[in-house]
């Protein structure tokens, strides 16, 4: 896959760079560039990130950072079985429990919430840092909801981290999950309160808490630009219809005099009179008597009617 010219491979973390030192220099550079692309595209273009992860995996499958990156790319594209396999491989290589929560969430993705709950109660959880423990709590609550246990999910999320007034990177997501569980249980008033608290903590807009709060308050956001664009075709259609209507009126007005003139019956043809040729296709040929009558003023001229 093509690598943009601005990607040098030096953008990766120092720890990952150290892992790649076991590879030949040129190969390490290629792997690093692909890992940079995985990180760059993971949120906006998961499929693209997955493609670059497969390249890195083909080049250096024995590097733990590569297996981890491949796991996250597969996870982002909902390839949970593949992601779980990569995370397990990375964990075997490093011995770290850092990936334990996301591995449990892969079990949820595979339709095994009971397995995720088992992992939530495993000894590995106690080895996680505070952020990891919060992630594990979120996964466990999600597993409870998967099993239809809404009240249990709410209780699972009730923790010192939820009650804390300090804002941490995971605070907004924890409050949001709690509000969403309350709403699912029909506790709308409490849900609104916690969506509001999630908005306060969501400094980087990692959730749509503000939209959920507005929805509960009955507020609708209207895109003014979209409205203007939708009105333009109506105006254009109206002008076209107007022009069509005017054209139709003109046709009716010009046709009325011709319809009101009754044809003059000629009893005997006048031999000396030559027929008058019609100037336009479809215009009736006038007889000699009609011409004479017009001169005498007895019959209204169709052409005169046209002028009116």
């Amino acid at each position: 896959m093509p690598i943009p010219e601005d990607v040098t491979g030096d953008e990766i973390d120092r720890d990952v760079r150290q892992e790649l030192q076991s590879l030949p220099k040129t190969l390490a550079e290629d792997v690093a560039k692909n890992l940079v692309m995985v990180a760059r595209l993971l949120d906006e273009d998961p499929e693209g990130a997955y493609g670059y992860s497969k390249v890195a995996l083909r080049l250096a499958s024995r590097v733990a950072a590569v297996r981890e990156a491949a796991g996250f790319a597969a996870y982002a594209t909902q390839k949970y079985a593949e992601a779980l396999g990569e995370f397990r491989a990375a964990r075997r290589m490093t011995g770290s429990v850092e990936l334990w929560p996301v591995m449990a969430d892969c079990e949820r993705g595979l339709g095994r919430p009971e397995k995720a709950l088992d992992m939530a109660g495993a000894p590995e959880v106690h080895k996680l840092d505070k952020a990891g423990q919060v992630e594990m709590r979120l996964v466990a609550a999600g597993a409870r909801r998967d099993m239809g246990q809404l009240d249990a999910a709410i209780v699972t999320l009730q923790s010192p981290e939820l009650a804390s007034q300090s804002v941490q990177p995971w605070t907004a997501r924890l409050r949001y999950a709690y509000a969403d569980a309350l709403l699912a249980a029909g506790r709308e008033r409490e849900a609104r309160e916690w969506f509001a608290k999630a908005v306060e903590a969501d400094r980087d807009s990692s959730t749509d808490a503000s939209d959920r709060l507005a929805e509960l308050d009955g507020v609708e956001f209207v895109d003014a630009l979209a409205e203007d664009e939708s009105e333009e075709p109506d105006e254009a259609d109206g002008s076209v219809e107007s022009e069509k209507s005017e054209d139709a009126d003109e046709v009716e007005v010009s046709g009325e005099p011709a319809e009101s003139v009754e044809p003059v019956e000629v009893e005997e043809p006048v031999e000396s009179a030559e027929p008058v040729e019609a100037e336009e296709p479809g215009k009736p040929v006038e007889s000699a008597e009609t011409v004479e009558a017009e001169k005498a003023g007895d019959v209204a001229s169709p052409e005169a009617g046209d002028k009116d």
Side-chain angles (χ1 to χ4, degrees), residues 56-300:
L57 195 61
R58 187 169 63 249
L59 296 174
S61 61
R62 296 185 179 182
V63 176
V66 172
R67 304 301 291 265
E68 183 176 330
F72 278 110
Y75 178 79
T77 53
Q78 299 183 1
K79 298 177 176 66
Y80 297 117
E82 184 177 339
L84 185 58
E86 297 299 338
F87 290 142
R88 284 174 175 169
R91 182 169 179 269
R92 284 194 301 269
M93 293 176 181
T94 62
S96 173
V97 297
E98 183 181 6
L99 297 172
W100 196 255
V102 70
M103 290 170 63
D105 205 37
C106 285
E107 295 287 0
R108 283 187 60 211
L110 292 170
R112 300 193 291 249
E114 298 87 353
K115 179 62 176 176
L117 288 176
D118 290 341
M119 294 180 68
E124 285 82 355
V125 176
H126 301 293
K127 300 177 184 179
L128 295 169
D129 59 12
K130 182 63 66 177
Q133 290 178 3
V134 171
E135 286 296 328
M136 194 70 249
R137 192 177 292 275
L138 288 168
V139 173
R144 292 292 185 187
R145 292 189 61 174
D146 293 343
M147 298 168 67
Q149 301 173 2
L150 287 176
D151 292 338
I154 293 171
V155 172
T156 300
L157 293 169
Q158 292 172 346
S159 61
E161 293 81 16
L162 179 67
S164 176
Q165 296 299 318
S166 64
V167 176
Q168 303 295 332
W170 35 260
T171 301
R173 293 178 57 240
L174 182 59
R175 293 177 178 179
Y176 182 95
Y178 188 60
D180 193 46
L182 289 169
L183 187 61
R187 296 160 64 174
E188 186 173 318
R189 183 184 61 79
E190 295 172 85
R192 189 202 175 283
E193 177 186 348
W194 281 98
F195 275 127
K197 290 182 178 181
V199 171
E200 293 175 0
D202 197 1
R203 296 169 180 172
D204 58 353
S205 300
S206 60
T207 72
D208 63 345
S210 59
D211 294 339
R212 300 291 299 276
L213 183 62
E215 184 180 348
L216 287 175
D217 290 341
V219 177
E220 276 188 38
F221 295 99
V222 179
D223 190 341
L225 181 60
E227 277 195 346
D228 292 341
E229 291 176 352
S230 64
E231 288 177 1
E232 287 179 1
D234 294 339
E235 294 175 0
D237 292 344
S239 63
V240 171
E241 292 297 329
S242 177
E243 291 177 3
K244 289 182 179 179
S245 177
E246 290 176 1
D247 292 343
D249 291 343
E250 290 177 2
V251 172
E252 290 177 3
V253 170
S254 62
E256 283 179 3
E259 292 177 0
S260 62
V261 177
E262 297 180 358
V264 179
E265 296 181 1
V266 182
E267 296 179 357
E268 295 181 2
V270 181
E271 296 179 359
S272 61
E274 296 182 359
V276 181
E277 295 182 0
E279 295 180 357
E280 300 177 3
K283 184 175 181 181
V285 177
E286 298 175 347
S287 65
E289 288 188 6
T290 304
V291 174
E292 290 300 328
E294 288 178 358
K295 290 181 180 179
D298 295 336
V299 180

Side-chain angles (χ1 to χ4, degrees), residues 19-32 59-60 63:
E19 284 191 59
L20 296 179
Q21 287 179 355
S22 61
L23 303 174
K25 184 177 180 180
T26 303
L27 180 59
E29 290 176 354
D30 290 341
V31 174
L59 296 174
V63 176

